[in-house]
Every structure is written in structure tokens, then in C-alpha cells.
């Protein structure tokens, strides 16, 4: 992100808390409170008890509810609303702090717009979609776009937080540039892809502030459930009034309101919005921008992960791991020839061969000037590289694809040993790539190039499997190589020789089975699959088409990040589920706290239900109201940080949630309300 400090900022930073406290007061406006039906009932109840308090203060009737009780209940009801507002304000405040850092990145820059081949200087805000602008070393890129001409090194640290520059060039999958980043070298022509107010930076600011956040389907469903429970308890409390009058129990309006607030699911109602905002915030702190809360939620429900082999499962570059000499060839001779043939090879594979020979065989690159060496670089056409030596005798050393080297050797009149095909076959079966090495017409041996599987990736896949998530490796390799790597990495399935059409077909096939699919991509050819997937994570270094098709953008352009995205989504759903369980269990406990204390004077038979042994009806109600408010504050850290992520299946998670947060949700109120009741009695307020 733009500011490293924003990532590591304390959950309860003093400046953030101060602003959140002010925002919680502003959120008392009816328009804001009405967005949360449960808290709106609490707000309306607080307003009613305030009116009753004013009435009691103006004219106190004999036998009326004690004023101290009405004052205490009214204050704690308002605190309940404020604490719920505070939870939401803290979650939003962290986003606003990040938005402030992003706004500082905006600079009024001058753009060099191309019109009919001529340059004209205009202000960046006047640029429109489709305009062409020229950017050279030292220039700030004036807006989001795609490089249509040239290649340049670009500093994107303002967006990604990474100080290392990146290459942006036309015609490839690394052509997208972001407004506000800086060109460090060379010259590029950029086609602007966003109008003012619609840029990547503008979207980021809107999302982190919560302005663009909408309720997700699961949140809407949970809101409907909470509203239903609230209506049930509202009707129950309304019917208690005539029942109490018939029974000779005088229930004041304050007591009925307090009873209603304690019974409705205020805990989850007060924290629900904060949980959703915090989920998007946690994802943003991993440098992943979610375009909607729906995308984060879908990540938590994912059934199938489509993972690119290169960069996600393997390190991305094939590395030389072994030299296999042919019969009659010394290992040292093969090592020397492989090193000489690779000195001019600038590919990662070529450099890894030089490194292997130096580290494993203690042979440093030779000084070849005296030998009048001519290097032959690797090209896609010849598929080999090498070195021609003149002194002490003419030598033509080559290294490359097995079939290319075979043609070279046979063209020089050499013979091909039968062991070569066997060795190449074994390497291919193991998921590696064989490269042959020859000295003139003599074939010396094979270099084993291996796709190195990332450390710990197999264990990570095991954790996903335990949660019921299926992993599928996507690769352009042939089926034999793909099968070997898939087995080593521990994925459930693989798609070999993958094409964009094959990816799209696989996603549709999984969705036809009722499964949610997540994938990553960076190229224009990935756009259809990213758009089709339920969770499509586009790389920030990718094309504009890919970024627009996905519903998430990884600012670090790290394909492995998809695994973390799923974990954040799971954590969001786990947090929401556990706190909902805790809240409903709370209501059960408060039911046993209040109702027996209210009616056991008239109905002695229900005295055994007063398991807490509360002092009086007044202390029972007030203790429950105070606990109801304090538990929201106590759970704010859990709502914002999220419950600890555990790679468990749905059944195991449900059992754990019911045991820990269900049983705990019943026990904690019993203890808490009893402690508060004892303190109230000691203070003479019982």
C-alpha cells in the first residue's frame, strides 16, 4: 500500500480511537441508525426511556419506578448504541486512514498529450479515456492506462509498497500502468483507460473508506434473521405487559424497554457491520484490493481453486539440479562443457547451470579471451546456446533442447547413444526438462532442469483438503510432466496443455456442479475465465482487460496470494458465525437472568429458575443492561481482528463454534451479570 505504516498500525491507535469516538456520536443520527434494524430498536428504546426520565423528573408519582433506575437504564441503553457505533467507526477509521495516505499520492501533474503526432501540455484531470500521452524518465504517469509503444522501468512503490522497479512494455501481459507511478527510464506512450474519478486510485479510496461497500448476500440474510428475532421478542415483550398487569406485577415502560434490548440479538447486531468492513480491511493489508464485499465472502465459500503452476506452485524458473554423463564421458568433462555452453545464455535456466557447476563441482567460469572464444546466445529459433573455441583446437560446444542438439550432432556426423533417450524419458516422467550437451559431433550428456516446488505448498494444500477445498493445477506442460509435478505438489487434479478456452470450460464445468471457483490471471487471454470465476484475482502487473474482468486485484502480483485470499474469506465467515452463535447464546442466558427475577415474587414456583440468585428485579434488569453494553466493547477486538483461522472442515468448525462460543455464550453472561449484580448490591442500588 501507499504507506507501510498503515499496514502495521495498532488496532487501537489513540488518534484513531479519538476520531472513532466522535464518529460514533455523529452516527446517532436516525438516518445512520436506521441502516441497522436491531440497533434502531435499541436507539428508539433509548429515546423512549429518555422521555420517561424527563417525565419522572418533572412529576414523580407515588409508587413510580425509582428515578435512579430510569437514569441508569437510560444511560446504559445509550452506551449500547454508542458502543455499536464505535465498533463500526473503528473499522471505518482504519480504512479512512489508508484513504488519507492514498489521497496524499494525488498530485496535479502535467501530461504530454499526443494530438495528430504533436505533443501538447495539458493538466492530468483534463485527460479522457482513449487519449495518448508520452512519458519519459522522471515523469509521473498522469492516469491509468496501457503502454501502446515502448518499454520503460517504472517505480510503483506508491501503489504496491515495493521499492524494486518493474518493467512495463507494449504488446504483452505487462502493459498496464497506474496513475501516480513514476517512469524511471526510457520512453513510453500510454493510452489512458479511465476518466477522472474512475481511476484505480479513486476506486481504492472509495473502497477503503467504505463508501462503495454494499451488504453481501450473507449479510442481508443474517440481517433478515436478526430482524425476525427482534420482531419475535418485541411481540413477546408487548404481551408481557398485560400478563404482568393480570398477575399483579407492575412493569414500567423502562423495564419493558430494558427487557426487550436485552433479549434481542444486540451483540451481533452491533458488530455485524464492523465484521464486514474489517474483512475487506484485512484483505487490503495483504495488498489485495477487493472490488466488493461479495468477493471476499465468496472467497470464504470457495470449493475449487485453479492455480497456475508457474509462480504459484513452483518457484517459476526451472533450475538445473543434476548432470547425467553418457557412457565413457567423465562428469567433469560434461560439467565444463555445460558451463561453457551456458555462459552466453541469459535465461534463468542458463544461469542456473553456471551456478550448479560452480557450487556443486567447484568449477568457476574460465577466462576465455586467450582462447578466442565466440559465444552463441540462446534463441527461440535454434533452441540452444554454446561457445566456439579456436585455441588450443577448434571446438563447437552446444547445449539446448534434446531434439535440437540431436540434429546438431547428427549434422556433424556424430552418433547418438541409446542411453540418451532413456535418461531424457526418466527426467520427463519425474516432471523435469532434459537439456542435451554436445562437443562437436560427440554427445556428452544431459542436464536435468527441474521445476522446484515451493516449500510448504504441499502442507498448505493438505489444509485446504481438510476444509473440503479441491485444488487444480493449471499448466501448459505436457500431461506426463504435469502429472509428476502435481503428484509432488500434492494437488487434487491438474489441467495440462491448458488454453484459455480449456480454463473457461473447466470453470463452467465446476460451477455446473454447484461449486464456487477461484483463480488468478494476468493476461488478456485470462479475462474471460477471470470474469466467469466466482473469485477472480487479477495481477496488478497484468493487462487492463484482466484487471477489469476480475473482482480482486493483487497489488503485489503474487499468484500465491490466492491462497491467502481464501483464508481471509474463511476467517470472515468464521468470525461472523462464531459471534452470531455467541450473541444468540447470550440471549438465552439473559432470559434466565431477568424473567425469573421479575415474576418469582408473584409466582414462587419459578424461583428455581433464578439460578443466579439476583438480588431484586431492579438489579437483575440493570445488571443485564450493563452486561449487554459492555460485551459489545469487549468483542470489538475479536470482530476487527477476526477469530483465529483454522483449516478445519465445516462439521468440525460447527462443533467447535457451538462448544466454545455457544456454551461460552451461555456461561459468560451468567458470570458477568452475577458479578455486576453483586457490585450494584454493594453500592446500594439493588
Amino acid at each position: 500500500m501507499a504507506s507501510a505504516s498503515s499496514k502495521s498500525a495498532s488496532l487501537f491507535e489513540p488518534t484513531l480511537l479519538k476520531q472513532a469516538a466522535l464518529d460514533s456520536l455523529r452516527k446517532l443520527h436516525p438516518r445512520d441508525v436506521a441502516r441497522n434494524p436491531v440497533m434502531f430498536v435499541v436507539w428508539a428504546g433509548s429515546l423512549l426511556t429518555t422521555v420517561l426520565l424527563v417525565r419522572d423528573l418533572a412529576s414523580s408519582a407515588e409508587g413510580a419506578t425509582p428515578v435512579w433506575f430510569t437514569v441508569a437504564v437510560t444511560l446504559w441503553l445509550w452506551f449500547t448504541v454508542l458502543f455499536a457505533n464505535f465498533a463500526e467507526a473503528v473499522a471505518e477509521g482504519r480504512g479512512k486512514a489508508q484513504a488519507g495516505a492514498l489521497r496524499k499520492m494525488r498530485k496535479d501533474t502535467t501530461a504530454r498529450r499526443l494530438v495528430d503526432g504533436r505533443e501538447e501540455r495539458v493538466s492530468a484531470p483534463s485527460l479522457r479515456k482513449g487519449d495518448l500521452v508520452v512519458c519519459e524518465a522522471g515523469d509521473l504517469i498522469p492516469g491509468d492506462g496501457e503502454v501502446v509503444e515502448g518499454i520503460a522501468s517504472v517505480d510503483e512503490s506508491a501503489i504496491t509498497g515495493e521499492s524494486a522497479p518493474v518493467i512495463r512494455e507494449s504488446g504483452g501481459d505487462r502493459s498496464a500502468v497506474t496513475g501516480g507511478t513514476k517512469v524511471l527510464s526510457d520512453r513510453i506512450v500510454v493510452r489512458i483507460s479511465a476518466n477522472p474519478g474512475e481511476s484505480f486510485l479513486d476506486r481504492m479510496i472509495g473502497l477503503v473508506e467504505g463508501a462503495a461497500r454494499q451488504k453481501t448476500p450473507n449479510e442481508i440474510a443474517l440481517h433478515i434473521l436478526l430482524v425476525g428475532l427482534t420482531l419475535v421478542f418485541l411481540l413477546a415483550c408487548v404481551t408481557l405487559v398485560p400478563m404482568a398487569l393480570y398477575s399483579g406485577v407492575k412493569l414500567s415502560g423502562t423495564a419493558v424497554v430494558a427487557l426487550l434490548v436485552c433479549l434481542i440479538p444486540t451483540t451481533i447486531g452491533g458488530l455485524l457491520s464492523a465484521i464486514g468492513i474489517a474483512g475487506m480491511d484485512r484483505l487490503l493489508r495483504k495488498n489485495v484490493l477487493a472490488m466488493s464485499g461479495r468477493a471476499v465472502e465468496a472467497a470464504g465459500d470457495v470449493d475449487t481453486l485453479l492455480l497456475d503452476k508457474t509462480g504459484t506452485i513452483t518457484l517459476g524458473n526451472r533450475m538445473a539440479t543434476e548432470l547425467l554423463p553418457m557412457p565413457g564421458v567423465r562428469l567433469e568433462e560434461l560439467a565444463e562443457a555445460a558451463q561453457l555452453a551456458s555462459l552466453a545464455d541469459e535465461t534463468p535456466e542458463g544461469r542456473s547451470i553456471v551456478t550448479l557447476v560452480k557450487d556443486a563441482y567447484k568449477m568457476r567460469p574460465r577466462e576465455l579471451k586467450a582462447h578466442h572464444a565466440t559465444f552463441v546466445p540462446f534463441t527461440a529459433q535454434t533452441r540452444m546456446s554454446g561457445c566456439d573455441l579456436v585455441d588450443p583446437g577448434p571446438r563447437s560446444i552446444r547445449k539446448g533442447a534434446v531434439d535440437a542438439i540431436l540434429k546438431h550432432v547428427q549434422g556433424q556426423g556424430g552418433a547418438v547413444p541409446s542411453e540418451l533417450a532413456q535418461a531424457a524419458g526418466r527426467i520427463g516422467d519425474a516432471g523435469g526438462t532434459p537439456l542435451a550437451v554436445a562437443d562437436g559431433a560427440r554427445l556428452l550428456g544431459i542436464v536435468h532442469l527441474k521445476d522446484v516446488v515451493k516449500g510448504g505448498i504441499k502442507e498448505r494444500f493438505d489444509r485446504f483438503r481438510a476444509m473440503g477445498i479441491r485444488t487444480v493445477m493449471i499448466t501448459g506442460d505436457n500431461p506426463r510432466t504435469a502429472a509428476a509435478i502435481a503428484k509432488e505438489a500434492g494437488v487434487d487434479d491438474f489441467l495440462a496443455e491448458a488454453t484459455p478456452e480449456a480454463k473457461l470450460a473447466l470453470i463452467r464445468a465446476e460451477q455446473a456442479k454447484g461449486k464456487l471457483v477461484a483463480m488468478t490471471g494476468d493476461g488478456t487471454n485470462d479475462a474471460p475465465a477471470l470474469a466467469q470465476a466466482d473469485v477472480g484475482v487479477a495481477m496488478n502487473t497484468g493487462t487492463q482487460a484482466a484487471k477489469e474482468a476480475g473482482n480482486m486485484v493483487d497489488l503485489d502480483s503474487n499468484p500465491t496470494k490466492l491462497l491467502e485470499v481464501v483464508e481471509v474469506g474463511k476467517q470472515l465467515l468464521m468470525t461472523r458465525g462464531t459471534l452470531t452463535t455467541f450473541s444468540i447464546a447470550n440471549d438465552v442466558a439473559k432470559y434466565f437472568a431477568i424473567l425469573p427475577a421479575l415474576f418469582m415474587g408473584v409466582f414462587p414456583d419459578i424461583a428455581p429458575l433464578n439460578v443466579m440468585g439476583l438480588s431484586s428485579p431492579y438489579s437483575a434488569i440493570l445488571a443485564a443492561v450493563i452486561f449487554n453494553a459492555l460485551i459489545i466493547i469487549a468483542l470489538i477486538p475479536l470482530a476487527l481482528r477476526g477469530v483465529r483461522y483454522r483449516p478445519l472442515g465445516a462439521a468440525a468448525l460447527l462443533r467447535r463454534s457451538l462448544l466454545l462460543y455457544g456454551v461460552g455464550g451461555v456461561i459468560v453472561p451468567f458470570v458477568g451479570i452475577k458479578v455486576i449484580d453483586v457490585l450494584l448490591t454493594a453500592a446500594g442500588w439493588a
Side-chain angles (χ1 to χ4, degrees), residues 248-494:
V249 177
K250 187 176 181 181
L251 276 181
S252 66
T254 302
V256 173
V257 170
L259 179 63
L260 172 63
V261 170
C262 289
L263 294 182
I264 64 177
T266 51
T267 306
I268 186 62
L271 296 174
L272 186 59
S273 180
I275 293 169
I277 295 170
M280 292 186 69
D281 179 67
R282 281 195 296 275
L283 201 59
L284 192 63
R285 287 170 188 272
K286 293 183 180 293
N287 261 11
V288 177
L289 178 64
M291 299 306 173
S292 67
R294 184 192 296 260
V296 184
E297 205 169 75
D301 282 328
V302 159
D303 301 295
T304 305
L305 286 179
L306 304 188
L307 303 165
D308 276 335
K309 181 200 75 173
T310 305
T312 305
I313 295 173
T314 66
L315 292 176
N317 294 324
R318 294 175 299 178
M319 310 294 289
T321 58
E322 187 182 11
L323 299 179
L324 302 173
M326 291 295 101
V329 178
R330 292 182 302 109
L331 185 58
E332 292 76 9
E333 183 182 3
L334 173 60
E336 179 197 33
Q339 183 188 66
L340 290 172
S342 302
L343 290 176
D345 187 354
E346 291 300 322
T347 64
E349 292 86 351
R351 291 195 295 270
S352 75
I353 293 173
V354 175
T355 302
L356 173 69
V357 172
K358 182 180 72 173
D359 294 343
Y361 304 103
K362 310 303 178 187
M363 296 174 62
R364 294 192 172 275
R366 292 166 49 184
E367 179 59 54
L368 299 176
K369 288 184 179 179
H371 298 275
H372 303 290
T374 302
F375 290 112
V376 179
F378 175 87
T379 67
Q381 289 73 33
T382 63
R383 294 190 298 144
M384 58 183 177
S385 60
C387 179
D388 292 332
L389 301 178
V390 177
D391 296 324
R395 296 176 65 190
S396 177
I397 302 172
R398 295 289 185 273
K399 170 230 51 182
V402 173
D403 58 338
I405 295 296
L406 289 181
K407 290 179 182 177
H408 173 76
V409 169
Q410 290 168 346
Q412 305 232 350
V416 178
S418 59
E419 291 83 358
L420 181 77
Q422 297 172 6
R426 285 195 303 272
I427 292 172
D429 289 338
T433 302
L435 294 182
V437 181
D439 188 347
R442 186 165 166 248
L443 214 152
L444 301 180
I446 281 183
V447 179
H448 182 179
L449 293 181
K450 184 179 180 182
D451 263 322
V452 180
V453 173
K454 289 184 175 180
I457 199 75
K458 187 171 185 177
E459 291 74 18
R460 205 164 189 177
F461 290 154
D462 288 339
R463 295 203 301 269
F464 280 123
R465 194 173 295 111
M467 299 180 73
I469 298 176
R470 180 168 168 264
T471 52
V472 180
M473 183 184 77
I474 308 296
T475 177
D477 292 337
N478 62 67
R480 187 167 67 176
T481 301
I485 297 174
K487 183 178 180 181
E488 183 181 356
V491 296
D492 298 307
D493 202 354
F494 65 89

Side-chain angles (χ1 to χ4, degrees), residues 566-625:
V566 171
E567 290 175 357
V568 169
K570 289 283 184 188
Q571 187 184 32
L572 169 66
L573 297 182
M574 288 163 61
T575 303
R576 189 185 295 158
T578 51
L579 289 183
T580 301
T581 303
F582 186 88
S583 178
I584 294 174
N586 255 278
D587 295 337
V588 174
K590 285 178 282 189
Y591 175 88
F592 280 100
I594 298 175
L595 290 183
L598 282 176
F599 289 98
M600 68 181 181
V602 178
F603 301 107
D605 291 343
I606 68 169
L609 294 178
N610 186 24
V611 292
M612 299 186 197
L614 302 179
S615 303
S616 70
Y618 289 139
S619 69
I621 292 173
L622 187 54
V625 170

Side-chain angles (χ1 to χ4, degrees), residues 31 68 96 104 113 180 230 240 291 295 350 488 538 548 563 617:
R31 180 188 60 249
W68 68 264
K96 288 177 180 177
K104 291 177 183 178
R113 183 166 60 188
T230 301
L240 271 180
M291 299 306 173
E488 183 181 356
E548 289 177 356
L563 305 179

Side-chain angles (χ1 to χ4, degrees), residues 112-120 132-134 187 189:
R112 297 158 58 186
R113 183 166 60 188
L114 278 178
V115 180
D116 297 329
R118 294 179 296 103
E119 288 186 21
E120 63 176 23
L132 296 177
V133 294
V134 176
R187 175 185 184 274
V189 177

